[in-house]
Structure formats: C-alpha cells, structure tokens
Amino acid sequence: MGDPTSTVVVGVDIGTTSTKAVAYDTDGRQLAAHSVGYPLDEPHPGYAEQDPALILDAVVDSVRAVVAELAEPIAGLSFSTAMHSLIGLDAYGTPLTPSVTWADSRASAQAERLRAAPSGLALHRRTGTPVHPMAPLPKLVWYAEQEPKLFERVAHWVGIKDYVLLRLTEALVIDHSVASASGLLDIHQLAWDPEALGIAGITEEQLPQLVPTTTVLPGLTAEAAAATGLPAATPIVVGAGDGPLANLGLGAVKPGVVACSIGTSGAMRVAVERPAVDPLGGVFCYALTTDRWVVGGAINNGGIVLQWAGDALAPELGEHAEVELLDLAAQAPVGSGGLIMLPYLLSERAPHWSALPRGAYVGLTHGHRREHLVRAALEGVCQQLALVLSSVRAAGNEVREIRASGGFARSPLWRQMLADALGLPVRFPAGHEGSSFGAALLGMQALGLIGSIEVAADLVRIDETVHPDPGSAATYAALLPLFSELYDALVPTFASLRRLAPSLPPEPPPTAPPM
C-alpha cells in the first residue's frame, strides 16, 4: 500500500495538450509539479486526435518527476482527464485507433442526425450528454458507418484515462464521471443505456466496468512501478473528468456556487446533489461523486477569440499581444457601439450544442473601428457564457456565487466585463491547478485522508471579488436577447454554408488548434 503515514496525494491531470502531475498535502499546499506536453494532430479537416502511447509516456514521466522531487513518500495517485475521448482497442488492449478527442468534429453529420431525431432530446436528458460531435456516441456511429471493418475488429471502446489505467494497473474500468460524458450512460440509473448502445452498435461487454470515481485500485504493475519510481502497492484512485474536478479544485462544490473558466475555450458549471438537465437540453450533467454532479455547459470559443482578433485585426502587434489588444478594446464603449459578435470561430457547444454555427459581426456601421471589433469579440464570449448561465438556471439551479479562473483572469478589463455580462459578483481564487487539485482532493477522500471533498470550499483562498457596474450590466442585459436571437435567425444561413462548403474554395485553417 501507499505510505499510511503520508498525507500527500499526487493529482494527475491528463489534459488536451499536456499531462500535469501535482503533489498536494491535506492542507492544500502544492509540494511539487511537473508537466509533459504532446501534440494534437489534425490530419484532415475536422479531425483532432492524439497518440495514446505519447499520453501514457507523459503520465509516467510527469509522475516520475514529481516522485523524485518529493522529500516524502505519497499516499496514492488520483486521476483527472479531459472528457469525451474515444479509443478502440483489440482483445489484447492494443489501440486500433488514435485517441479521438473532444475537439474532433468528424461526426458532425451523425450528431446532427441523432439530435434531430424524435428521441434526440430524450437521449440527452437521460444520458446527461448533449448529442454533439464531441461525444463518444456520435463518434461510434461515425466509425460504424465510415470504418465498418475497423469497427468490427474493436474488442473494447475506452477513453484515454481508461487506457492509461489499463496499462498502469491492468484494470479495465471507467468511472461514473467519464462515463456520464459519453452519451452512453443512463445517469439516473448509473448503468449503460440500452437505447444508446443500440444506436452506437456496441454491447455492454465492449465497454469498461463502471465504477465510482472514488474507487481505489490495488496498485501498479511491476513495469509501471519501475517506470514511475513508486512502490507497486501504491493505491491508485480512478478519479473523474476534468470539468467536475475543476469545480472541486475551485472550491465550487456546494449547490449555488458556479465555477467559470475561460482558457482557450470556456465553461460554466454548478454542483448539484441530483442529476438533472434543463427542459430544452441546454446543459450537460456529469457525475463527480455519488452525491455530487455538475450541471453546466462548455463553449469552444474563449481566449481563442482574442488570439484571432490579434491575428486578423491587429497583426502588426505580433504574437503574444494580449495586453495591447485589451488596451485597444478598452478604447471602445460598453456594448461596442451597438456592434454584436457571435464568436463561433470553432463552431460552438453550449447551450445550442450544434456543429453548424460560424462567427458573425452584426450591426457594423461606417463609424466602427477595430477597437469596436476587438471589444465586441470579447463581449461575445462573455455573452455566450451568460446564455450558459441562463440554461444552468433553467435546469432549476439557484446561482448564489461565481468563482472564475483561467488565463483571462489576468486582465482587469475582461474580469470586469465578465461580471457585468453575468450581472453578478465574480470571485477569483488564488491559483490552484484546478483539475489536478480536484483530483488530489478526491483521492484524499477515497483514501480516508479527509472527511469530505467539501473541505475544498475552505482550502481555496479568494484573491479578489469583482462587482458588476450597474450601468454596464444593464447594457449587456439589454443586448443579451438580441445576441440569443441572432443564433436562431442565422441557423438557416449556417446550414446553407455547410451545404455549399464542398463547392467553395477551402476555408483557411485555424491559427492554432483548440485546447
């Protein structure tokens, strides 16, 4: 077993572009950290995949580096993972496919077809996962239709964390959190959904064993122990998805406390005690523990919009010109002089969950200058998060507090803009590594080192609270219905552009892949 006197747990966060291992003690102090990056491959338009072997190596290398840095033994490892990945394995556990990530949109046609079917909304509400190309369910349908011979050879369909745990411990398991983001789990029964399996064309036997997120696996294989520098009997906590664990890492574990993050993409989630989806299917519902779930939505377009604005509107500023761009945006008034931007540069997820939309500026006049265009782009990101917040409330959730994190939080302008667009005070915690800290806390509970994950609310220190400006908040509240209506008005145009795409010159590639 792990050292019974140790209070140190290593949270291992398997992210989209890197894996980070961070050691914490039960007081929430970070003791050591190491990250290893890997590429996100885009061999064809719409593809976003990775080599599972590189990610496994990154996990081993990051853990080994942290273990070597620590002056004391550890009590165990606990895992976080990017959600929605899909890998096909043969009967020996060897990958037959890459790891197809959440950012992969090749199954757009399958997702739109399933979403439009009479059972589409019911499937979403039963599984908690929007019918969207990010999810494993449409990806499985894509494989069945586009790669039928490969599809027939697959013995097991797994996610990236499932694969890593299989290689480290020889246990083929999937936690309730990751499973709840697959589109294949009945979240009300915590069992595989027969209708979803039928649509996917797979059997329950082709999926890993379902286990709670606090499940402790007995230890590492001899090979994994040697590679990581850990004793073979080190307890391994299965862990959960990075979204729910980010809530935990921010201390947003009690009902009414919303976690908001804006990195390259963005998300908004609130912890609840029972699974639920709003009537219109605007939010997801993913498991954290047996009595904690998170309801919310992710958006594709966060900081990537600011990067695009720099490349497209102010290229002379060069790379890493975020400060200059934000200074430019600050020259424009709140509401950007009536200019609205739909920031759907990488399509969009919540609350509409469609791969169709594209970005658009509406309301452009002769008087607008690039400072208005840059500001409207940032306002569009915040307005999109305001729509997600409306869907969170529509699912029956009270919102009392918002805690925010991510790269955007370095900007006073963007902090204030978010508070104004949401119409609520926004609290900014001191910099914990959200998902890895959440994984460590979950591991501590599983190993009996803390009584409950609710201690997270006390361990996370708030650095600053930004209150909305009443005048600015009123402007954004008046513009939000227009922002929302524009999506519905432009859906036919988005669909026509999709139909015309094969006959048009190819669109330029993105300046950087989504993260």
Side-chain angles (χ1 to χ4, degrees):
M1 297 181 63
D3 190 306
T5 65
S6 175
T7 60
V8 177
V9 171
V10 176
V12 183
D13 181 24
I14 305 172
T16 304
T17 56
S18 68
T19 285
K20 187 163 194 175
V22 188
Y24 297 94
D25 64 16
T26 50
D27 292 325
R29 291 176 299 191
Q30 179 176 312
L31 305 178
H34 189 79
S35 64
V36 178
Y38 32 75
L40 181 67
D41 300 322
E42 297 178 284
H44 308 288
Y47 285 46
E49 56 190 34
Q50 293 174 312
D51 183 345
L54 290 180
I55 296 177
L56 176 64
D57 289 345
V59 169
V60 170
D61 292 347
S62 60
V63 170
R64 183 177 63 246
V66 165
V67 170
E69 186 178 340
L70 287 171
E72 56 188 295
I74 69 168
L77 297 180
S78 184
F79 283 82
S80 164
T81 184
M83 306 177 93
H84 312 299
S85 58
L86 183 69
I87 307 169
L89 305 179
D90 67 14
Y92 302 99
T94 302
L96 297 175
T97 73
S99 177
V100 182
T101 73
W102 67 268
D104 194 284
S105 62
R106 74 184 76 176
S108 294
Q110 288 76 16
E112 293 294 333
R113 187 176 75 232
L114 293 175
R115 186 173 178 81
S119 61
L121 181 56
L123 189 65
H124 177 173
R125 299 185 69 184
R126 200 167 61 250
T127 66
T129 304
V131 183
H132 185 274
M134 69 177 182
L137 173 56
K139 292 170 182 168
L140 286 165
V141 177
W142 183 91
Y143 270 112
E145 294 177 355
Q146 301 298 318
E147 299 275 1
K149 291 183 179 178
L150 184 151
F151 187 79
E152 291 175 2
R153 292 171 53 208
V154 172
H156 297 287
W157 293 99
V158 304
I160 185 59
K161 179 165 73 66
D162 314 333
Y163 173 71
V164 167
L165 290 175
L166 175 64
R167 294 296 303 273
L168 294 181
T169 71
E170 296 185 339
L172 185 58
V173 296
I174 184 171
D175 68 81
H176 289 149
S177 179
V178 171
S180 67
S182 67
L184 301 168
L185 183 80
D186 184 330
I187 59 174
H188 307 284
Q189 305 297 325
L190 289 181
W192 297 119
D193 185 84
E195 181 184 350
L197 296 183
I199 292 170
I202 63 172
T203 65
E204 190 172 324
E205 290 70 31
Q206 288 179 276
L207 296 169
Q209 176 189 353
L210 285 165
V211 296
T213 58
T214 50
T215 297
V216 181
L217 302 176
L220 299 163
T221 66
E223 181 182 358
T228 58
L230 287 169
T234 301
I236 308 298
V237 180
V238 172
D242 58 358
L245 286 173
N247 269 58
L248 180 53
L250 287 173
V253 289
K254 296 180 180 178
V257 182
V258 172
C260 176
S261 61
I262 305 178
T264 304
S265 55
M268 184 167 285
R269 302 168 299 266
V270 64
V272 298
E273 295 175 345
R274 288 175 297 278
V277 173
D278 68 295
L280 297 178
V283 294
F284 55 61
C285 182
Y286 302 147
L288 176 54
T289 63
T290 53
D291 60 356
R292 279 292 184 277
W293 300 71
V294 296
V295 169
I299 64 172
N300 285 355
N301 303 280
I304 193 73
V305 176
L306 181 62
Q307 179 185 326
W308 170 85
D311 293 340
L313 303 174
E316 77 281 1
L317 296 178
E319 295 184 10
H320 312 298
E322 291 84 358
V323 173
E324 292 88 344
L325 282 167
L326 290 161
D327 288 343
L328 191 63
Q331 297 174 23
V334 172
S336 302
L339 181 63
I340 296 174
M341 184 201 184
L342 301 185
Y344 307 144
L345 306 179
L346 295 170
S347 182
E348 194 48 283
R349 286 182 282 173
H352 302 294
W353 302 106
S354 172
L356 283 175
R358 292 179 171 229
Y361 277 103
V362 177
L364 192 63
T365 70
H366 185 266
H368 287 119
R369 296 294 179 264
R370 65 177 181 173
E371 56 263 32
H372 298 90
L373 274 73
V374 174
R375 184 179 185 109
L378 304 184
E379 290 178 336
V381 173
C382 294
Q383 292 283 57
Q384 191 68 24
L385 286 168
L387 291 184
V388 176
L389 185 63
S390 296
S391 293
V392 167
R393 286 179 164 135
N397 300 294
E398 176 194 9
V399 176
R400 294 182 288 101
E401 178 184 338
I402 294 176
R403 295 187 175 197
S405 66
F408 90 104
R410 293 189 294 269
S411 162
L413 174 69
W414 213 339
R415 286 183 179 218
Q416 187 65 55
M417 192 181 291
L418 181 67
D420 294 342
L422 300 181
L424 289 167
V426 179
R427 307 181 78 192
F428 293 88
H432 269 301
E433 299 286 348
S435 296
S436 61
F437 185 45
L441 285 170
L442 187 69
M444 290 173 192
Q445 176 179 305
L447 297 171
L449 299 177
I450 58 174
S452 166
I453 57 174
E454 291 198 6
V455 303
D458 300 319
L459 291 176
V460 176
R461 188 182 80 251
I462 300 298
D463 271 355
E464 181 186 1
T465 299
V466 176
H467 296 271
D469 174 81
S472 300
T475 297
Y476 289 133
L479 288 170
L480 186 61
L482 304 181
F483 183 89
S484 180
E485 290 166 6
L486 278 173
Y487 173 87
D488 296 324
L490 289 174
V491 164
T493 302
F494 297 147
S496 295
L497 285 171
R498 169 71 65 82
R499 287 194 301 270
L500 283 172
S503 62
L504 297 174
E507 63 182 84
T511 55
M515 296 171 63

